[in-house]
Amino acid sequence: MTARKWGTRMHARFWVLALLPLMISTATATDIYKCTAKNGVVSYADRPCPSQQATLLHKETEAEAAQAKQDRITMTLNGMIDSGHIDEARSFAAANGASAYFQQRILDNVRRDQIKRQQEIANDAEMRRANAAADQARHQQTMDEMQAKLVEADTAQEKFRKEHWSEIKQQHEGEALQMQSNVVFNPARNQWCSVGKDGSTVCKDKP
């Protein structure tokens, strides 16, 4: 026997021994005894009770014994696989005719890990989309606020110009004529605009 095979068997035996108390404590008792103490207290157990009157209520059948054995094998395999001792579980399954169950558990674990990974990828993508949407919303809000300020300033400028247009033309005739003749892009209105004869803003879509 090679050192590797011996080590594998020793690991498998270790895990069987380690899980044996769990197997015994959780296995279904198939022999059922009714125990009556001298003081009349009744209890139930899977074996006759010492110094008490015991009555066998149920005797384990072959089918029950086989099922209990299979349950213990399955429980041991699950414990090995869940704790990450795959090589030991494989050896134990082969020794107890449970290789098919072992393979199914491994496949189930692979599928579960794949689903988990896919969900993580989907969650990550959703988070990126949410962050991008939030960034876009913040950007749009900033642009809207800037546009609102431009419109407010443009409205105030037009109002002031109309109210004082006569004075502007008298004091700055050259600049007034230039404002009337020059067509410039007005970002507040998103149009090409100039100044009208009354000082109002006159706009069109193209220069």
Side-chain angles (χ1 to χ4, degrees):
M1 181 184 299
T2 64
R4 179 178 178 81
K5 289 183 178 179
W6 182 85
T8 300
R9 291 190 178 183
M10 288 301 295
H11 277 297
R13 290 176 182 175
F14 168 79
W15 280 101
V16 171
L17 292 175
L19 292 168
L20 186 58
L22 178 63
M23 293 160 55
I24 293 175
S25 63
T26 57
T28 302
T30 51
D31 284 350
I32 303 177
Y33 287 87
K34 176 182 178 182
C35 301
T36 305
K38 293 181 180 180
N39 59 3
V41 176
V42 176
S43 61
Y44 297 89
D46 59 355
R47 64 195 66 187
C49 304
S51 304
Q52 295 187 30
Q53 179 182 348
T55 303
L56 180 62
L57 299 181
H58 176 75
K59 180 64 178 175
E60 179 184 55
T61 65
E62 291 184 3
E64 289 173 338
Q67 184 60 51
K69 179 181 178 181
Q70 187 60 44
D71 290 344
R72 289 192 293 270
I73 292 173
T74 299
M75 190 182 304
T76 303
L77 271 175
N78 288 338
M80 290 180 173
I81 294 172
D82 292 341
S83 62
H85 294 78
I86 305 303
D87 291 338
E88 291 86 344
R90 183 183 292 106
S91 299
F92 179 79
N96 289 274
S99 294
Y101 178 81
F102 168 80
Q103 293 296 336
Q104 186 59 50
R105 268 301 314 270
I106 297 300
L107 289 176
D108 290 343
N109 285 359
V110 170
R111 293 191 188 98
R112 184 187 63 217
D113 291 342
Q114 289 175 342
I115 293 173
K116 181 180 178 182
R117 179 56 182 161
Q118 290 171 356
Q119 187 60 51
E120 290 174 349
I121 293 174
N123 291 342
D124 184 63
E126 180 61 30
M127 183 176 295
R128 288 200 302 271
R129 285 193 294 269
N131 290 338
D135 290 341
Q136 180 62 31
R138 286 192 293 269
H139 175 71
Q140 187 61 48
Q141 182 179 2
T142 300
M143 296 299 294
D144 291 344
E145 291 173 353
M146 291 177 60
Q147 184 65 22
K149 291 180 179 179
L150 287 174
V151 171
E152 182 181 1
D154 180 72
T155 302
Q157 185 181 43
E158 182 183 28
K159 180 181 177 181
F160 176 84
R161 191 172 56 239
K162 288 175 65 176
E163 291 175 349
H164 302 278
W165 186 239
S166 296
E167 298 174 15
I168 293 174
K169 287 194 298 182
Q170 291 177 0
Q171 297 177 10
H172 307 282
E173 183 178 0
E175 293 181 10
L177 291 174
Q178 188 175 11
M179 285 190 291
Q180 287 180 302
S181 60
N182 285 351
V183 178
V184 296
F185 184 76
N186 187 326
R189 307 190 184 209
N190 199 28
Q191 290 180 309
W192 294 86
C193 305
S194 61
V195 177
K197 293 181 179 181
D198 61 349
S200 63
T201 302
V202 180
C203 298
K204 55 185 177 179
D205 293 335
K206 296 181 180 180

